[in-house]
Amino acid sequence: MPIQVLPPQLANQIAAGEVVERPASVVKELVENSLDAGATRIDIEIDKGGAKLIRIRDNGCGINKAELAMALARHATSKITTLDDLEAIMTMGFRGEALASISSVSRLTLTSRTADQAEAWQAYAEGRDMDVTIKPAAHPVGTTLEVLDLFYNTPARRKFMRTEKTEFAHIDEVIRRIALARFDVAFSLTHNGKLIRQYRGVSDSKQRERRLGAICGTAFLSHALAIEWQHGDLALQGWVADPAGSRAVTELQYCYVNGRMMRDRLINHAIRQAYQDKLGDHQPAYVLYLTIDPHQVDVNVHPAKHEVRFHQSRLVHDFIYQGVISVLQETGGETLPGIAAEEPAARWQPENRQAAGGNHFSAPAPGRSAGGGRESSGEKTASGRYQEPGQQKSSGWQQRESGQQKSGSWQHQEPGYQKKEGELYRQLLQTPDLPAAQEAQPRPTEKKPSREQAGTEASLSAHSESFGRVLTVLHNEFALVESRERLALISLCVAERWLKQAQLAPGEEGLKPQPLLIPVRMKVAKPEREASGHHAALLKRMGVELEAEGQHITLRAVPLPLRQQNLQILIPELLGYLAEQPEVSVTQVAQWLARHAVTDRPHWNHSQAIALLAEVERLCPQLIKAPPSGLLQYVETELAMNALKHE
């Protein structure tokens, strides 16, 4: 087949595979475009779960007639003009693929009017070459996008859509997430002609809390603790539920970076580590907004813009951890020993080792008063929230106009949140504890702590179900962690092997087979073919589906942890291993696969180490209390410290 340029229709349909996963993806892209247009009211109408109709109407700035046809072209956008613009993105949509991709798999009509025009104009893309037809229309200032018969020309994609109820549930969740990000915008959601959601635009803190309660529920609102935390260009606002609330509210985790909703492992790990021993097997509940210099974050790492990459991942991780743990400790139920019940508890700050210096996040910035570190004299309510006296200011996570970003510098457009800054960023933050069994006795060179010190340390004990804080990665394969002023090295390759073994443990129901898009046909020797039949029940329980065909076997499905492996090599080796084992258990097979299926990753970075150890802590908590040989080795620092002491 000769090399040729793809037709525009086919190229856009391929791009749609990345941008348009389901009707909710269309809603997300179109609503984000409305927000970029400065809309203060957005109405969403859905029919048949989005399969029949998706209509988004806004009162934004609109698109003029001259640019209307170009708006449906691929790689056409008003959000960026040069490569440098990608380094400081604050708009929601910037790829220039959404409208072209959506129009290639649906019947899309775009109607818009600007304030300068006396009449509105309507664009419709049709035909093999996606030619755009423009005609006059009646419409107020703003834009309406109508998407009919989604996936009508790609039946393979349409059959993968779920039921009408399920698809609308995904759309409802998208609107909930966006409504939490933009309190100043009014949203309405209609399904099959019935009004389902209506969120009015709000400005002051009490109204924001009412919308928070409407979206997240009164159970979360009654346990919500307000966070307002800042250092330099980093700011964290929002709410976290206290431990009791997190146990009552499940699967409520909303995270935003510069107003963009995210699913980021590094942020989730920092929050979970702050809760650590307070929740057990439960997950924390939170609605958090992280504001960061756009030059320090890359939002262009995922086609659907669901993930980001931080240039200073350790700084962001520790900043979030410090903010969350401090607000958890300042609640009434978390008061430290020795503080009278009638006295208000000051904001708690984790203690450092003397060698680590002062707590950088708790020290007041130059020129600020040290009393509490807050700029305003707001009053703290009984629920732990702060309310400003007098006129309410817009919060830092509200809309930021691109015109306020000048000459590449970052400015906080709405400095209404209360600030906490420090002078220097310290490298080592509070260190998590080791398991109690390892810290039961004081070391010979240490003095026995006093009763007051012991009580304070007991109340500050945390992270007993954690390896500790990841400080850095040495030689690209060892994580240096700190836990209660002790250092340890963790072999990341060994940790990954134990994680893979836990993921491959079939349990009682067995592993779920994941069908391969293209079955793998392999020629194997007779002993391997016989092993595939003799151990058929075991392989099925492991999620491996094989079919014998003469001298060949065809692999049709594998469990999810093996999807990224070289199956043409791994599966014959597995059959060879089984051929040598007349009797073998699923545990032995899981161990064998874990040793042979570890990802070949010669270079580990800090973010990857954090994500890996977070998964190991979640799936293999027994390794923390009793680390096996080769996984963890403590670094003795006593000799080094003694050598540095002067007589």
Side-chain angles (χ1 to χ4, degrees):
M1 183 180 294
I3 299 175
Q4 57 186 342
V5 177
L6 293 175
Q9 174 80 4
L10 180 57
N12 288 337
Q13 286 179 336
I14 294 173
E18 295 182 338
V19 178
V20 185
E21 179 184 359
R22 63 195 328 153
S25 307
V26 176
V27 173
K28 173 182 177 294
E29 295 290 342
L30 298 185
V31 171
E32 287 181 346
N33 279 343
S34 296
L35 293 175
D36 286 339
T40 59
R41 178 176 181 83
I42 303 175
D43 299 318
I44 304 100
E45 298 178 39
I46 306 296
D47 277 356
K48 303 297 183 183
K52 181 180 179 182
L53 168 69
I54 298 174
R55 183 184 292 122
I56 312 291
R57 170 171 291 192
D58 66 58
N59 63 348
C61 62
I63 305 172
N64 62 51
K65 178 185 176 183
E67 298 177 348
L68 205 58
M70 190 175 296
L72 297 181
R74 195 180 180 198
H75 304 314
T77 179
S78 62
K79 315 299 174 60
I80 58 174
T81 56
T82 66
L83 185 63
D84 293 337
D85 294 337
L86 286 176
E87 298 181 0
I89 293 174
M90 287 300 294
T91 56
M92 297 294 105
F94 57 88
R95 293 176 178 271
E97 294 180 355
L99 293 182
S101 299
I102 295 169
S103 65
S104 69
V105 293
S106 67
R107 309 182 196 278
L108 184 144
T109 304
L110 169 61
T111 309
S112 189
R113 176 190 164 194
T114 63
D116 311 349
Q117 297 177 173
E119 59 183 349
W121 294 87
Q122 187 176 92
Y124 179 77
E126 58 184 352
R128 182 181 181 86
D129 295 327
M130 307 273 306
D131 295 329
V132 180
T133 303
I134 304 292
K135 62 181 181 180
H139 195 279
V141 175
T143 303
T144 295
L145 273 144
E146 188 175 81
V147 179
L148 293 172
D149 301 327
L150 186 62
F151 300 137
Y152 79 98
N153 55 355
T154 51
R157 295 290 304 278
R158 194 176 183 90
K159 75 177 184 179
F160 279 101
M161 289 179 60
R162 304 304 181 191
T163 64
E164 175 183 329
K165 181 180 179 181
T166 300
E167 294 297 347
F168 179 75
H170 284 281
I171 294 173
D172 188 22
E173 179 64 17
V174 166
I175 299 304
R176 284 157 54 93
R177 287 179 175 272
I178 296 178
L180 277 174
R182 293 298 302 270
F183 288 90
D184 58 320
V185 178
F187 297 90
S188 69
L189 176 61
T190 303
H191 187 217
N192 295 335
K194 180 181 179 181
L195 182 63
I196 304 299
R197 307 286 180 201
Q198 187 171 24
Y199 305 118
R200 294 181 174 85
V202 299
S203 57
D204 61 53
S205 60
K206 288 186 177 180
Q207 293 176 333
R208 284 199 299 269
E209 288 186 4
R210 279 198 292 269
R211 177 182 277 196
L212 178 70
I215 297 175
C216 299
T218 55
F220 176 81
L221 185 61
S222 62
H223 292 276
L225 307 172
I227 288 184
E228 297 184 4
W229 190 252
Q230 181 179 1
H231 173 75
D233 288 329
L234 284 171
L236 184 68
Q237 301 96 23
W239 300 268
V240 295
D242 58 27
S246 294
R247 295 186 188 98
V249 181
T250 59
E251 299 181 357
L252 199 155
Q253 297 180 339
Y254 296 134
C255 179
Y256 303 84
V257 178
N258 288 347
R260 187 189 304 276
M261 51 185 176
M262 278 304 140
R263 301 185 186 98
D264 188 81
R265 291 185 178 181
L266 182 136
I267 295 177
N268 291 341
H269 180 268
I271 298 170
R272 191 159 55 88
Q273 193 174 44
Y275 279 86
Q276 205 66 34
D277 63 338
K278 299 177 176 65
L279 291 180
D281 295 334
H282 297 273
Q283 291 293 321
Y286 54 84
V287 178
L288 290 177
Y289 308 85
L290 177 66
T291 304
I292 186 173
D293 182 346
H295 293 87
Q296 296 299 318
V297 61
D298 184 5
V299 301
N300 195 26
V301 297
H302 191 280
K305 304 184 288 291
H306 286 157
E307 301 174 2
V308 294
R309 181 182 295 117
F310 297 104
H311 298 312
Q312 300 185 59
S313 58
R314 183 192 303 178
L315 171 64
V316 174
H317 180 278
D318 292 347
F319 171 78
I320 295 173
Y321 163 81
Q322 194 78 6
V324 174
I325 196 173
S326 60
V327 78
L328 289 176
Q329 292 288 351
E330 79 171 354
T331 60
E334 302 288 340
T335 304
L336 299 180
I339 300 178
E342 62 272 8
E343 296 180 3
R347 179 181 286 269
W348 176 85
Q349 296 293 341
E351 294 183 354
N352 290 342
R353 296 177 294 108
Q354 186 175 359
N359 187 338
H360 129 93
F361 290 124
S362 63
R368 295 181 185 271
S369 63
R374 295 187 176 267
E375 293 184 332
S376 59
S377 57
E379 296 181 357
K380 185 177 178 184
T381 65
S383 61
R385 305 179 189 88
Y386 283 88
Q387 181 176 344
E388 293 289 336
Q391 183 178 2
Q392 300 291 338
K393 299 181 181 180
S394 300
S395 59
W397 58 79
Q398 292 184 357
Q399 179 183 12
R400 291 153 177 84
E401 296 295 336
S402 58
Q404 294 180 351
Q405 185 178 329
K406 302 178 181 179
S407 65
S409 64
W410 168 247
Q411 299 175 347
H412 290 294
Q413 287 77 15
E414 300 289 351
Y417 46 79
Q418 300 161 349
K419 301 182 178 179
K420 259 186 173 289
E421 291 186 346
E423 297 176 356
L424 298 172
Y425 174 67
R426 62 183 177 85
Q427 294 298 320
L428 302 177
L429 298 175
Q430 182 206 15
T431 59
D433 296 347
L434 288 173
Q438 299 178 7
E439 294 294 330
Q441 299 295 332
R443 290 188 285 274
T445 57
E446 295 179 344
K447 295 182 179 180
K448 185 176 180 180
S450 64
R451 178 177 300 178
E452 291 78 6
Q453 291 173 333
T456 302
E457 290 179 3
S459 65
L460 296 180
S461 63
H463 316 298
S464 59
E465 297 299 326
S466 170
F467 287 110
R469 303 291 304 285
V470 179
L471 302 180
T472 188
V473 176
L474 302 177
H475 301 289
N476 298 319
E477 62 173 316
F478 299 103
L480 179 65
V481 301
E482 185 181 17
S483 182
R484 202 180 181 101
E485 300 190 10
R486 291 193 67 184
L487 300 179
L489 286 176
I490 296 178
S491 172
L492 297 174
C493 296
V494 176
E496 185 182 34
R497 188 171 75 235
W498 280 98
L499 175 62
K500 189 73 69 174
Q501 181 175 330
Q503 293 172 337
L504 289 168
E508 296 181 358
E509 299 181 356
L511 297 177
K512 183 178 180 181
Q514 301 286 328
L516 300 178
L517 182 62
I518 301 177
V520 180
R521 192 167 185 264
M522 300 166 285
K523 185 177 181 179
V524 295
K526 183 179 179 180
E528 283 77 8
R529 294 198 304 272
E530 293 176 348
S532 67
H534 180 68
H535 297 285
L538 182 145
L539 290 171
K540 183 177 181 180
R541 189 176 176 190
M542 295 297 299
V544 179
E545 292 185 358
L546 295 171
E547 183 178 311
E549 300 176 359
Q551 294 184 349
H552 295 76
I553 60 170
T554 301
L555 177 65
R556 299 196 175 277
V558 294
L560 186 61
L562 299 182
R563 286 297 296 267
Q564 303 301 321
Q565 302 297 316
N566 188 336
L567 300 174
Q568 288 183 320
I569 296 177
L570 180 65
I571 297 303
E573 290 182 350
L574 172 61
L575 295 178
Y577 165 73
L578 294 177
E580 298 174 357
Q581 309 292 329
E583 298 295 333
V584 63
S585 65
V586 290
T587 302
Q588 291 173 310
V589 175
Q591 292 174 348
W592 186 94
L593 286 171
R595 288 195 301 271
H596 291 77
V598 174
T599 306
D600 183 16
R601 193 195 303 270
H603 302 289
W604 291 84
N605 60 34
H606 186 259
S607 299
Q608 292 168 342
I610 289 176
L612 171 65
L613 294 182
E615 286 298 294
V616 174
E617 292 168 0
R618 183 175 68 87
L619 295 179
C620 313
Q622 73 280 4
L623 300 182
I624 303 172
K625 298 180 180 179
S629 175
L631 174 64
L632 182 146
Q633 179 64 49
Y634 288 103
V635 179
E636 294 298 334
T637 57
E638 298 292 342
L639 294 178
M641 289 189 292
N642 289 334
L644 294 175
K645 291 180 180 178
H646 298 282
E647 295 292 340

